[in-house]
Amino acid sequence: MWRPVGITMSTLKAILFDIDGVLADWVWGFTNLLHERISGLIEPVHTGEQFDWNLTHIDKAYMNAGWNLVQEIPWWWRNLDPLATEAEFKRIANLNLNNRVYFPTARAEGTPHVLRQTRQWLEIMGIVNPSVVITKKKGEFANLVQADFAIDDKPENVACIHWLSEGTQTYLLDYPKLGNKDFLPKAVKRIASLSKFLDDVEVAI
């Protein structure tokens, strides 16, 4: 990879963006799939309207049937609606040009073509050659790449990044209805929009 003289991996900022709940509306995509293909009694909801990340109010049999459908549909991940705005994606694309930008996601490991579909989705959103990593161990990954900044919507992920990756400025995209956040360290910044995270990153670099 070509870099200007004097630019090394250690001087490039490492920035981590969670996808589902931050960039993509996975909750709407999945609940709408259940509504259309499994049971009309299941009401589709958008990210932030549900009361937990695992959709525990939906019967487990329906959830399993939905995951089976996701594995069968070759374009499902690629067609999810965005949560980020066009302007925010342009800002991410600009950061991606001159920094180490990663998209770690805990999307279903083992789902056929999930990595390819995720990359395609980000490319559709304007991100050139996105670095997508399928992992549930976001704290360990942040430490591995020496992340400078990270944003996620799940408090447990944010806490793991904070505790396992020294020096990473961690941000929680805070949806008021979602879960217990009292255990979060005070150093974690709780924000109401992706734009606030981008503002802080752009000032720092």
Side-chain angles (χ1 to χ4, degrees):
M1 179 186 295
W2 178 86
R3 295 189 184 91
V5 174
I7 300 296
T8 66
M9 289 293 287
S10 61
T11 59
L12 296 173
K13 296 295 185 183
I15 309 161
L16 276 54
F17 291 89
D18 176 46
I19 298 179
D20 297 313
V22 175
L23 303 181
D25 198 346
W26 170 84
V27 172
W28 173 262
F30 192 73
T31 56
N32 192 53
L33 178 68
L34 295 180
H35 176 78
E36 292 183 346
R37 301 283 294 274
I38 304 297
S39 172
L41 298 177
I42 298 173
E43 290 296 327
V45 293
H46 289 283
T47 294
E49 295 175 350
Q50 84 279 19
F51 289 91
D52 69 80
W53 289 266
N54 298 317
L55 303 176
T56 54
H57 67 286
I58 299 176
D59 186 271
K60 186 175 292 187
Y62 289 158
M63 293 290 291
N64 291 337
W67 281 119
N68 288 337
L69 283 174
V70 168
Q71 293 188 12
E72 295 171 4
I73 301 172
W75 43 260
W76 192 82
W77 295 100
R78 190 184 66 217
N79 283 15
L80 288 179
D81 290 344
L83 285 171
T85 65
E86 182 177 350
E88 288 169 336
F89 275 115
K90 286 181 179 179
R91 295 170 73 181
I92 296 170
N94 287 334
L95 289 172
N96 189 50
L97 294 176
N98 297 302
N99 299 278
R100 292 185 291 130
V101 174
Y102 302 96
F103 302 92
T105 175
R107 286 181 167 178
E109 297 177 4
T111 301
H113 313 302
V114 64
L115 179 60
R116 174 175 57 80
Q117 289 187 57
T118 302
R119 285 175 174 162
Q120 290 174 340
W121 185 86
L122 287 165
E123 289 168 351
I124 291 169
M125 299 302 153
I127 312 300
V128 177
N129 193 25
S131 298
V132 178
V133 179
I134 307 296
T135 181
K136 296 179 180 178
K137 297 182 178 181
K138 294 189 177 182
E140 290 89 337
F141 178 75
N143 183 58
L144 178 67
V145 300
Q146 297 181 317
D148 296 284
F149 299 92
I151 182 171
D152 205 296
D153 68 308
K154 194 170 184 178
E156 291 85 351
N157 289 339
V158 173
C160 284
I161 294 171
H162 172 81
W163 292 118
L164 297 179
S165 183
E166 184 178 356
T168 302
Q169 295 186 41
T170 52
Y171 290 71
L172 174 74
L173 186 54
D174 194 355
Y175 294 104
K177 290 183 180 181
L178 280 173
N180 175 31
K181 310 176 187 79
D182 294 339
F183 65 90
L184 283 174
K186 292 182 178 180
V188 171
K189 294 187 178 182
R190 294 166 60 167
I191 55 176
S193 71
L194 175 60
S195 288
K196 170 57 179 170
F197 176 74
L198 294 171
D199 289 343
D200 288 1
V201 170
E202 289 167 351
V203 167
I205 65 174

